[in-house]
Amino acid sequence: MQTRLFQPELHSARLRLREVRPDDAPALFAIHSDPVVMRYWSYPAWTELAQAQAKIAEIKRQRREQQILIWAIADAGSDRLIGSSAVFAIDPDQGRAEIGYSLHRDWQGRGLASEALRLILRHLFDGLQLRRVEADADPRNTASCRLLERLGFVREGLLRERWRVNGELCDTAFYGLLQRDFDAR
């Protein structure tokens, strides 16, 4: 029997983490079409709004089929999407999942990604009873690597030439966070 994945709305003073909606397409496109934001992703920057619309449709399908949790990271005041975070490869029997995140360039450097991820990690560990969350980051993306390490993730390995993006071979630094380490922080 498959465990039902519960995705609550999460809140902090500055953020509202909610379901992604069709009207988020322009804001999602603004993030994923920015070559600076997408520099270290496993796929190139989007070039058409239709890609954001297709992604939202895919998210809706994956949510119906219980394959993924994805939150729109929205500004608490305006409810405008400023980023997103996805939890995927969820394996309740093994107590593990993987996490990814993005934030619009104008909203970076304010501690918002850390704030959002703390809310999500707390839900994963307490609400879903996971014991381990994994993340991968391009090791050249020092800001993302530092963020993961501040949250308690431990760099556990390097996967050489894991991705090919825009013709460039890229490595992946692999990180893991155990519930007990998160709780100890």
Side-chain angles (χ1 to χ4, degrees):
M1 184 171 84
Q2 184 177 6
T3 303
R4 180 107 178 114
L5 294 176
F6 177 58
Q7 181 174 320
E9 190 167 288
L10 304 171
H11 299 269
S12 69
R14 301 186 296 170
L15 299 174
R16 176 179 177 220
L17 279 60
R18 58 168 172 76
E19 292 276 346
V20 176
R21 304 182 306 233
D23 65 329
D24 289 325
L28 194 62
F29 178 71
I31 295 166
H32 289 265
S33 64
D34 183 338
V36 173
V37 173
M38 299 304 292
R39 170 70 177 99
Y40 300 113
W41 276 67
S42 56
Y43 59 85
W46 292 343
T47 57
E48 300 175 359
L49 179 61
Q51 291 170 286
Q53 294 162 333
K55 181 63 174 178
I56 290 171
E58 176 71 4
I59 289 166
K60 296 293 184 189
R61 182 196 62 76
Q62 289 174 314
R63 287 291 304 128
R64 279 192 309 276
E65 296 175 9
Q66 296 289 301
Q67 296 177 344
I68 194 169
L69 299 174
I70 186 160
W71 281 270
I73 301 171
D75 174 65
S78 67
D79 197 37
R80 188 175 117 213
L81 181 142
I82 61 170
S84 64
S85 182
V87 179
F88 54 97
I90 303 165
D91 188 337
D93 293 334
Q94 290 298 320
R96 63 161 299 278
E98 296 178 39
I99 194 166
Y101 47 88
S102 63
L103 202 60
H104 190 284
R105 188 171 10 154
D106 292 348
W107 293 82
Q108 293 177 3
R110 302 180 196 185
L112 296 169
S114 178
E115 195 171 314
L117 291 176
R118 283 182 203 287
L119 292 170
I120 293 167
L121 290 166
R122 179 55 51 215
H123 171 66
L124 297 177
F125 292 135
D126 293 350
L128 296 183
Q129 304 294 301
L130 298 182
R131 108 190 117 65
R132 177 181 172 83
V133 177
E134 300 166 357
D136 72 78
D138 187 311
R140 298 170 299 173
N141 187 348
T142 55
S144 187
C145 292
R146 280 194 312 265
L147 168 64
L148 291 169
E149 291 163 3
R150 278 195 309 273
L151 291 168
F153 282 82
V154 174
R155 184 172 166 168
E156 298 176 335
L158 181 73
L159 304 175
R160 298 176 305 146
E161 296 183 7
R162 184 172 191 213
W163 303 110
R164 180 186 307 271
V165 181
N166 292 323
E168 178 184 20
L169 293 173
C170 305
D171 296 343
T172 289
F174 201 70
Y175 287 84
L177 174 64
L178 301 179
Q179 178 182 8
R180 68 176 176 262
D181 296 335
F182 184 72
D183 290 343
R185 298 181 85 75

